[in-house]
Amino acid sequence: RTYSFHSSLSFPTLSLSKALQSVVMLILSAASSSSSSFMLSSASSSSARIPRPLSSFSTCVPVVVTTVSSAATSTLFPISCFGVKSRTVGIRKLRCAVFCASKVRGMAEMIEDAMTVSASGSHELPQSRDFLDARTGEDLLSAVQKAVEDEKLPLNVAEGMEDLYQNYRNAVLQSGVPKADEAILYNMALVFDRVFVDVKDPFEFSPYHKAIREPFDYYKFGQNYIRQLVDFRSSYVGNISVFGEMAEKLKQGDNVVLMSNHQSEADPAIIALLIESKLPDIAENIIYVAGDRVITDPLCKPFSMGRNLLCVYSKKHMNDDPELAEMKKRANTRSLKEMALLLRGGSKLIWIAPSGGRDRPDPVTNEWYPAPFDASATDNMRRLVQHAGVPGHIYPLAILCHDIMPPPAQVEKNIGEKRVVSFHGAGISVAPKIDFHEVAGALEDPEAKMVYTKSLYDSVSQQYNVLNSAIHGKQGLKASIPSVSLSQPWQ
């Protein structure tokens, strides 16, 4: 029986001799222990349907392992795949594995294999071979059309998938990343597969949704998809030391809340991508307060499934359908209760956009700026933190990434907006925490919450202006000011 270990053996140099020897010895050692003989070949396996995009810093050697004796079926290998948490599985259940020692960063980071099968047949991941077997973009689009003709995919969803493919392809080709065509095909095949699977069997989000990391790792799936759209050469992080301070407070059991502006559906991925090299725990464990649109739109749901979410209905869309208004209010109440329970447990990091939605450009000047914060939203969040029973800290966070995935010009009622994406620099910045009692403790409501909200918003706006100067003003690191120190932690 033939099994394909088809992915990249990546190392900082082009010399694979020692690394390849160690992998071969591992395989031969396992074979010896089970009285089986193995045949090694550098030819690609026919089971490798989607080309794996490679970085210019890595070398790929596909290895096909052929077992001659069925006695090898009891041998166990440790598997570490992009789409599946590390685990030990029997060879009989193995379809693909990744032996990866790559330390490549940023745009050149390898996109590892995403589809595999767990040791238990009951956890087998549903897949659509029509998309995963595609070898060209034309194959992907033909598979979409066929799904529509077979009445397995709604026309409006199919049109959105086709638009997204064209936009994503154009954006990644502009990036100049090595093997761009392969990266486009691989990422879009996974997107189409995940969308198609969800259309067949829609996933329902609970009020508090924990990121799905297995058997398919939706978090890394989203990271690798958005990574191709970020120009890390012109991306920046403000006050990385404050992020480090937040990490220490979380370790101590304190809660941390980020009061932030909101620019695009890609915000969670942007935040994680820009800090994951230094603070991977923060990148992976942020809990996002998310509106209902990102958990109902078929093209957005797979990406949302990879994030920790507290699901709410935005005030902007509360009365889109008057008959559903009461249901939405009850759902928000359940989510607030979930948030309160999470905060009582301590060590929680929660991101919230008090504006209630994404920033929009000024209709006259076309300039972007953070949307105003809702004082009720900031005050409600502050009170939840205050009454959690454990110390809590509120930090103002600024995000600039609207070029990568801008929202529609106007707030739309209908689900299914057109996604336009591009390759561009992005930035985030966090300022020291702002204490309510220091800023507005001597004031009476409602003045106190207005003053506190203004303090948070002013800090976000100042940081946003620095990021804007660095990215759009092309000042780079020189745009730093005493209160906002820019860096590129991935360098």
Side-chain angles (χ1 to χ4, degrees):
R1 192 182 301 273
T2 299
Y3 301 87
S4 172
F5 289 69
H6 185 91
S7 194
S8 295
L9 294 162
S10 286
F11 303 90
T13 68
L14 294 181
S15 175
L16 281 172
S17 57
K18 292 183 179 179
L20 183 56
Q21 287 174 18
S22 65
V23 173
V24 171
M25 289 304 294
L26 171 65
I27 297 172
L28 292 178
S29 175
S32 176
S33 66
S34 59
S35 302
S36 298
S37 61
F38 285 71
M39 298 170 58
L40 300 181
S41 169
S42 61
S44 299
S45 165
S46 61
S47 65
R49 302 297 186 187
I50 303 296
R52 271 55 174 178
L54 311 176
S55 74
S56 59
F57 302 102
S58 64
T59 300
C60 177
V61 179
V63 180
V64 177
V65 183
T66 304
T67 67
V68 178
S69 168
S70 61
T73 58
S74 63
T75 304
L76 300 179
F77 285 115
I79 308 303
S80 179
C81 288
F82 160 74
V84 178
K85 266 192 173 182
S86 297
R87 65 185 70 189
T88 301
V89 302
I91 292 182
R92 187 179 297 278
K93 296 297 183 182
L94 181 64
R95 286 189 183 174
C96 66
V98 177
F99 294 93
C100 180
S102 176
K103 295 183 180 178
V104 180
R105 299 167 296 186
M107 288 298 297
E109 180 169 327
M110 183 198 313
I111 301 175
E112 298 174 345
D113 200 353
M115 309 306 292
T116 193
V117 177
S118 68
S120 170
S122 63
H123 295 294
E124 184 157 336
L125 195 67
Q127 303 171 26
S128 169
R129 298 313 312 180
D130 287 342
F131 298 120
L132 298 180
D133 288 352
R135 294 183 177 276
T136 66
E138 289 73 17
D139 289 347
L140 272 183
L141 298 181
S142 294
V144 172
Q145 183 61 39
K146 182 177 184 299
V148 173
E149 293 171 354
D150 293 342
E151 298 183 348
K152 294 180 179 180
L153 197 62
L155 180 59
N156 64 321
V157 175
E159 291 174 343
M161 293 166 72
E162 293 175 357
D163 284 342
L164 183 61
Y165 171 81
Q166 298 296 348
N167 286 324
Y168 189 75
R169 180 178 182 276
N170 292 338
V172 177
L173 287 176
Q174 292 172 11
S175 70
V177 63
K179 304 288 184 178
D181 283 327
E182 293 183 12
I184 294 162
L185 177 61
Y186 186 63
N187 280 332
M188 290 307 305
L190 287 177
V191 172
F192 283 11
D193 172 73
R194 294 297 89 197
V195 170
F196 185 74
V197 167
D198 188 71
V199 167
K200 289 194 298 181
D201 183 17
F203 179 80
E204 296 292 332
F205 288 82
S206 58
Y208 171 48
H209 167 78
K210 296 187 70 173
I212 299 174
R213 305 299 303 266
E214 59 178 7
F216 181 83
D217 194 329
Y218 280 91
Y219 170 81
K220 288 187 178 179
F221 154 74
Q223 292 298 98
N224 282 334
Y225 180 86
I226 299 297
R227 180 180 285 111
Q228 306 303 311
L229 301 175
V230 179
D231 185 351
F232 286 91
R233 298 164 299 182
S234 58
S235 294
Y236 305 93
V237 174
N239 299 332
I240 189 67
S241 62
V242 179
F243 281 105
E245 173 189 310
M246 289 162 38
E248 290 302 315
K249 292 189 181 300
L250 290 167
K251 289 179 182 178
Q252 295 167 10
D254 296 3
N255 292 315
V256 171
V257 171
L258 299 170
M259 295 282 191
S260 173
N261 69 310
H262 178 25
Q263 293 227 301
S264 78
E265 292 174 341
D267 286 1
I270 298 297
I271 294 171
L273 285 168
L274 297 187
I275 63 173
E276 65 182 3
S277 62
K278 295 292 185 183
L279 299 162
D281 287 343
I282 285 186
E284 296 187 31
N285 292 310
I286 299 177
I287 302 170
Y288 296 89
V289 179
D292 62 297
R293 303 177 78 78
V294 299
I295 62 173
T296 53
D297 190 312
L299 292 182
C300 195
K301 285 180 68 177
F303 298 98
S304 299
M305 290 164 68
R307 306 291 162 181
N308 303 306
L309 303 178
L310 280 162
C311 305
V312 300
Y313 287 91
S314 169
K315 290 173 66 174
K316 291 184 177 180
H317 298 285
M318 187 63 68
N319 296 307
D320 285 354
D321 185 343
E323 293 183 0
L324 299 177
E326 191 59 35
M327 178 277 293
K328 293 179 179 180
K329 291 178 182 178
R330 290 196 300 269
N332 281 357
T333 299
R334 289 195 297 271
S335 295
L336 285 175
K337 289 180 179 178
E338 289 283 354
M339 186 186 298
L341 289 172
L342 289 169
L343 290 170
R344 286 173 194 166
S347 296
K348 297 299 186 297
L349 174 56
I350 296 178
W351 176 98
I352 183 171
S355 63
R358 289 169 287 182
D359 303 336
R360 295 297 202 286
D362 185 282
V364 177
T365 65
N366 207 36
E367 292 291 325
W368 289 78
Y369 52 84
F373 286 0
D374 183 292
S376 296
T378 59
D379 195 59
N380 288 339
M381 191 71 237
R382 179 189 67 80
R383 291 177 183 275
L384 282 170
V385 173
Q386 180 181 334
H387 294 101
V390 298
H393 314 277
I394 296 178
Y395 292 80
L397 177 80
I399 302 175
L400 193 160
C401 64
H402 59 80
D403 297 280
I404 290 175
M405 192 178 292
Q410 304 294 329
V411 177
E412 297 182 354
K413 289 186 177 182
N414 296 328
I415 298 295
E417 66 186 54
K418 182 181 178 66
R419 268 80 181 183
V420 178
V421 299
S422 64
F423 176 75
H424 206 279
I428 62 172
S429 178
V430 67
K433 65 177 184 177
I434 297 180
D435 186 88
F436 174 80
H437 296 290
E438 292 180 3
V439 172
L443 303 173
E444 299 292 332
D445 281 337
E447 184 182 5
K449 66 182 183 182
M450 296 297 294
V451 169
Y452 184 62
T453 300
K454 185 176 185 302
S455 296
L456 290 166
Y457 179 79
D458 287 348
S459 176
V460 169
S461 295
Q462 182 188 55
Q463 295 176 81
Y464 185 88
N465 290 336
V466 172
L467 293 173
N468 192 45
S469 296
I471 299 170
H472 292 112
K474 302 188 184 303
Q475 295 182 27
L477 298 175
K478 295 180 180 179
S480 298
I481 61 176
S483 60
V484 183
S485 175
L486 299 179
S487 64
Q488 295 179 314
W490 49 89
Q491 294 287 4

